[in-house]
Amino acid sequence: TNTMFTGIIEGFGTISAIRSAGQGKRLAIEADFALDQTKIGDSLCVSGACLTAVKIDGKHFEVDISPETLQTTTFGKAKVGERINLERALRLSDRLDGHLVSGHIDGIGHIRQRETLSNAIIITVDVAETLAKYMIKKGSVAVDGISLTINTSDVGSFSVSIIPHTAKLTTIGIKSIGDSVNIENDMIGKYVERFMTGRPQRSKAQVEKQPAIDMAYLLKTGFIE
């Protein structure tokens, strides 16, 4: 899918029902705001995950969640009554106030610490090293679909500063220590890695045959002096 989001949450929703759908699940969600101009087949970012509306009636809509998505997101443990973040897909005419978010979750993080600093809440999130490697200070990350700036990053964690406005209008304000969150890393870091290492679909022999793009290679080819 080419659907994109901004990470600027439009409002809350509440999971009203969860039903089995084969090995997946169907979630019924009640949005807190009018879903005008949203129709069946449209994509919504639901706490960070890009999901397709399969039924819609006023503020009520339903989405199907695949077995793979259940394994890689917090929806595997979703509960009726749970509050979620909602954002409809970015339109070409929209301003991009956050950063480009694809809605493809890279993994799950767990809130380790919450502390108040002046008028902000500093939240530390533990993540796998495979996720942390893409995170840099002042870089972007989407936490439950919320576009946030990274304060600090380490091998297995990162921290973000939450202003009162964000805490009030998104679920990050009601998350507690130990709660799990969906993580999507900034696309730029993933694209850079793909460019530097070669496309994943290439065979190992093809990748090894291709010269490494490093300082020596750039000097040799005249890209830098």
Side-chain angles (χ1 to χ4, degrees), residues 82-132:
E82 184 176 334
R83 297 288 271 168
I84 52 175
N85 296 316
L86 295 175
E87 181 193 351
R88 286 171 290 183
L90 177 68
R91 297 167 299 181
L92 289 176
S93 59
D94 290 341
R95 270 181 53 183
L96 181 61
D97 291 329
H99 73 281
L100 284 176
V101 174
S102 71
H104 298 156
I105 303 303
D106 292 307
I108 295 173
H110 296 88
I111 296 176
R112 185 214 307 166
Q113 187 175 8
R114 287 177 62 108
E115 54 183 337
T116 303
L117 182 63
S118 186
N119 70 332
I121 304 170
I122 307 300
I123 295 180
T124 302
V125 182
D126 287 333
V127 292
E129 186 176 345
T130 52
L131 297 182

Side-chain angles (χ1 to χ4, degrees), residues 180-216:
S180 56
V181 289
N182 292 318
I183 303 292
E184 181 187 336
N185 283 316
D186 190 16
M187 286 188 288
I188 294 174
K190 290 182 281 188
Y191 279 127
V192 168
E193 181 187 54
R194 187 169 180 177
F195 173 74
M196 297 291 284
T197 60
R199 292 182 176 272
Q201 63 264 32
R202 293 179 180 176
S203 68
K204 183 179 178 181
Q206 287 175 313
V207 172
E208 289 175 348
K209 187 176 180 181
Q210 180 180 348
I213 301 175
D214 53 19
M215 292 298 290

Side-chain angles (χ1 to χ4, degrees), residues 19-126:
R19 299 192 299 273
S20 295
Q23 292 183 313
K25 289 182 180 179
R26 174 168 289 197
L27 264 58
I29 297 169
E30 300 292 332
D32 286 6
F33 57 95
L35 296 172
D36 53 307
Q37 299 183 340
T38 303
K39 58 188 184 299
I40 291 174
D42 284 354
S43 296
L44 297 97
C45 195
V46 182
S47 283
C50 179
L51 302 175
T52 301
V54 295
K55 182 178 180 181
I56 187 162
D57 182 12
K59 294 182 179 180
H60 174 94
F61 69 98
E62 297 183 11
V63 292
D64 286 332
I65 302 181
S66 69
E68 180 187 7
T69 301
L70 290 175
Q71 290 179 359
T72 57
T73 70
T74 58
F75 291 114
K77 296 182 180 179
K79 297 177 181 178
V80 171
E82 184 176 334
R83 297 288 271 168
I84 52 175
N85 296 316
L86 295 175
E87 181 193 351
R88 286 171 290 183
L90 177 68
R91 297 167 299 181
L92 289 176
S93 59
D94 290 341
R95 270 181 53 183
L96 181 61
D97 291 329
H99 73 281
L100 284 176
V101 174
S102 71
H104 298 156
I105 303 303
D106 292 307
I108 295 173
H110 296 88
I111 296 176
R112 185 214 307 166
Q113 187 175 8
R114 287 177 62 108
E115 54 183 337
T116 303
L117 182 63
S118 186
N119 70 332
I121 304 170
I122 307 300
I123 295 180
T124 302
V125 182
D126 287 333

Side-chain angles (χ1 to χ4, degrees), residues 159-175:
S159 69
V160 289
S161 178
I162 309 297
I163 61 173
H165 178 80
T166 303
K168 182 179 180 181
L169 297 181
T170 70
T171 57
I172 198 73
I174 58 176
K175 291 285 184 178

